[in-house]
Amino acid sequence: MITRETIDKVFETARVEEVIGDFVQLKRAGSNYKGLSPFSDERSPSFMVSPVKQIWKDFSSGKGGSVVTFLMEHEHFTYPEAIRFLANKYNIEIEETEVSQEDKIEANEKESMYLVSEFAKTYFQDTLLNTEEGKAIGLSYFKERGFTNETIAKFGLGYSPETWDAFTKEALSKGYQLEFLEKVGLTITREDGKHFDRFKGRVMFPIQSLSGRNLGFGGRILTNDKKAAKYLNSPESEIYYKSKVLYGIFHAKQAIAKQNNCYLVEGYTDVIQMHQAGIENVVASSGTALTPDQIRLINRLTKNITVLFDGDAAGLRASIRGIDLILEEGMNVKVCSFPDGDDPDSFARKNSYDDLVFYLENNAKDFIQFKASLLMNEAQNDPIKKADLIRDMVVSISKIPDRIKREVYIQECSRIMDISEQVLQNTLAQLIQKDISEAGKKLKTEQKAFEVVKNEVQQITQDKINIVYELERKIIEMLLLYGNLEADFEDLILKANEEGEMVEEKETTSVKVFQRIYLSLQEDEVELANPVFKEIYNDLITYYNQSDDFVIEQYLMKLSSEHSQIVTDILMHEEKELLHNWETKHIYVKTKMQNVSQYVSETIISLREYLINKLILDLMNNFSNEEGENELEELKATINDYNKLKVSLTNKIGRIRSTYL
């Protein structure tokens, strides 16, 4: 168990903008930060972080909350794991206890898989460094590749023994369940019930998430067994999706954001050797073809990718296909190849840091130049091949979303290939028109279904967005933002003058906002209609009555996931306007009324006025034509009284507004 004191210290120390900044590239937006959503695919930022409120909100997915909530949503941490992660980041001392057998049983399935994967990483490391077999085979291999002890420790490199079930036996003896060993792919069970280790006799490369959680492994065999694959990856599981993971991203993320560039290589050792040489903004696609999800992962940290290719022509031709995917995501891509016989691993090993930086800076070419020079060598003087090459380059240019960039690249392609811009523009237009046509056909086939969904969404929206909902939401907002603030409230009271006549006089009282709201609603016997708002309202009133200070981070800690999302959405309502960049268009959005007491009074009076209208409507709907004249006169009198009260409230709102003009 983590003590309450430790949790409080973590919340006091952790900065939401710093933590999220490790996962998302954030840019200033007034007093807040904004960036691309890490939960959905988008090109315009809808993700907001408020340093003042210490909360975040993703308007594309609806998610939001505190720094801990972000880690739980993004990294699938449990609450204690998120606290431990933050404690480690900010060097806060926290007592770590060994995972008990009871904890292992109670952990949910995905968490059990994470636990198994973490245990495996520790086991393989220990085997590498502390067993005769590990040192003689695994450690010797890493040393031959030039990896230092610091590098081996940094990347958690390990070794899986040659014995058929050494790892599985050890894991079972420690209480880890065979079910989860199989699900993460560490253990394979045969039809006869016998089980063995997937990575038997291999050096191990742990594959980590953006936050450092162990997701899976890559294993390299060291023997010359032609029947066995040289490299073997963990199979896909609930915690490991190859297409969404980049090897080395955990160690590279800060350098990528700082350098505003990401070097993309092919293999594990390429990444490790480059890191050891001092180039840390480098990741690998883990032996798989580059995917859109992997590119979007980089896109959250930088818009710039430099692809580092092996020197051999076959590798260049195969890898260049990923460039179109990068362009399609609206990113800037450069390409750098190494001399024949070299790859990033061997080249980094041969050269000093300064020489390596110099080479990368001076040999990285724009993709259009690189692709032209590569394919021209293949085409040589063959006009048909040259025509195919030009079309190939225009296809790449057509993937670029930005029209200005497309125009620039068409001009560059015209210059390099010595062909008129008009011909290239016409070819480009044909390709784009073809894409539009295909998209149009697809749209028509789905249009009917789309219209049905659209109508349903509109109906749901109309049903949910109503006056009471908005006014009650405002009340919750006022309690969250100003609940503990003391403000002056003006009321009109009836007093007798010297002549004995009853006249209205202004009386000013100074009370806290939460008290004013509570007393006003109590006086009118008003309860919030929305059940969730009602729960949050009661919870807030209790919180204010029991505590002198209101700290949003601490309040969010005690809320359920549903309530936390709603509270965050309310708190970040103003920040949503910043996403539109209105000020750049000389449109200045009024985010909040200048005077809190006016804001509170207007909202409560508006709610009372609406409820009176509802009462009148209910009375009229419930009146039966069969009732007598007396009942009708009584109804008219009651409605007349309500209408007088409405006029009084309307006048009161006018007086409140005029007071603060």
Side-chain angles (χ1 to χ4, degrees), residues 570-584:
I570 292 171
L571 286 169
M572 295 294 280
H573 176 71
E574 282 184 355
E575 281 72 5
K576 189 174 184 179
E577 295 297 328
L578 296 173
L579 295 172
H580 299 291
N581 293 319
W582 295 121
E583 290 185 13
T584 62

Side-chain angles (χ1 to χ4, degrees), residues 182 188-196:
E182 291 173 332
I188 298 173
T189 301
R190 300 190 316 195
E191 290 183 4
D192 60 6
K194 292 184 179 179
H195 42 255
F196 58 93

Side-chain angles (χ1 to χ4, degrees), residues 546-559:
Q546 294 177 349
S547 176
D548 293 330
D549 296 317
F550 180 77
V551 181
I552 189 62
E553 301 99 298
Q554 293 179 356
Y555 178 69
L556 285 172
M557 283 167 52
K558 65 189 289 297
L559 294 179

Side-chain angles (χ1 to χ4, degrees), residues 261-533:
N261 183 45
C262 177
Y263 289 113
L264 183 64
V265 297
E266 186 178 346
Y268 304 125
T269 57
D270 294 328
V271 170
I272 298 169
Q273 201 69 252
M274 293 281 281
H275 266 263
Q276 187 167 284
I279 308 293
E280 296 189 344
N281 53 324
V282 57
V283 297
S285 57
S286 301
T288 62
L290 192 63
T291 69
D293 283 327
Q294 291 172 331
I295 297 167
R296 290 173 198 138
L297 191 58
I298 299 171
N299 194 15
R300 283 156 47 188
L301 301 170
T302 181
K303 283 285 184 185
N304 305 303
I305 294 181
T306 302
V307 183
L308 304 183
F309 288 144
D310 295 355
D312 64 286
L316 288 171
R317 199 70 176 86
S319 301
I320 204 169
R321 287 191 290 270
I323 288 178
D324 287 355
L325 287 176
I326 299 172
L327 293 171
E328 212 164 342
E329 292 299 322
M331 298 182 71
N332 308 312
V333 57
K334 288 186 175 182
V335 183
C336 180
S337 62
F338 295 96
D340 284 345
D342 269 328
D343 55 25
D345 179 358
S346 61
F347 194 81
R349 210 183 318 172
K350 293 176 185 176
N351 293 275
S352 67
Y353 170 76
D354 290 336
D355 290 340
L356 186 55
V357 171
F358 181 83
Y359 183 87
L360 293 173
E361 289 179 351
N362 287 275
N363 288 274
K365 298 179 181 178
D366 188 85
F367 91 92
I368 200 77
Q369 297 172 328
F370 181 83
K371 196 166 185 177
S373 62
L374 174 69
L375 300 181
M376 278 296 283
N377 289 334
E378 294 182 7
Q380 295 181 347
N381 296 321
D382 187 329
I384 296 176
K385 285 186 177 180
K386 185 176 179 181
D388 289 340
L389 158 64
I390 294 170
R391 175 170 284 275
D392 194 351
M393 292 174 68
V394 176
V395 167
S396 291
I397 294 171
S398 72
K399 303 294 182 185
I400 301 171
D402 188 279
R403 292 182 64 183
I404 295 174
K405 283 185 181 178
R406 287 204 304 261
E407 182 73 24
V408 170
Y409 279 122
I410 284 291
Q411 292 173 0
E412 185 68 9
C413 186
S414 170
R415 184 187 64 79
I416 293 171
M417 306 306 296
D418 191 24
I419 189 169
S420 73
E421 281 186 40
Q422 188 60 48
V423 171
L424 296 179
Q425 288 283 13
N426 290 341
T427 306
L428 177 64
Q430 288 172 6
L431 289 169
I432 292 173
Q433 186 57 46
K434 184 181 177 183
D435 288 342
I436 292 171
S437 177
E438 289 177 355
K441 288 177 184 177
K442 185 179 179 183
L443 182 63
K444 283 181 181 178
T445 59
E446 296 176 354
Q447 199 164 19
K448 191 173 181 180
F450 173 78
E451 286 299 326
V452 171
V453 173
K454 180 181 173 184
N455 291 335
E456 287 177 356
V457 170
Q458 286 178 339
Q459 186 60 47
I460 291 169
T461 305
Q462 290 167 2
D463 290 344
K464 286 190 175 180
I465 297 177
N466 55 57
I467 295 172
V468 171
Y469 179 90
E470 292 300 325
L471 289 171
E472 291 183 353
R473 182 185 168 98
K474 275 189 179 184
I475 288 171
I476 301 299
E477 178 188 40
M478 291 184 297
L479 286 171
L480 289 166
L481 294 176
Y482 315 118
N484 245 356
L485 181 71
E486 196 159 298
D488 293 331
F489 292 90
E490 288 188 349
D491 290 299
L492 293 173
I493 59 171
L494 291 173
K495 278 191 176 181
N497 60 15
E498 293 178 358
E499 289 78 25
E501 297 174 336
M502 300 301 290
V503 295
E504 289 183 341
E505 282 191 12
K506 289 182 181 178
E507 182 178 81
T508 302
T509 54
S510 183
V511 294
K512 288 189 174 182
V513 169
F514 87 89
Q515 294 170 328
R516 175 71 176 195
I517 292 173
Y518 176 74
L519 292 172
S520 296
L521 296 184
Q522 281 287 97
E523 180 185 347
D524 295 325
E525 298 182 352
V526 173
E527 284 192 351
L528 303 193
N530 185 288
V532 176
F533 287 163

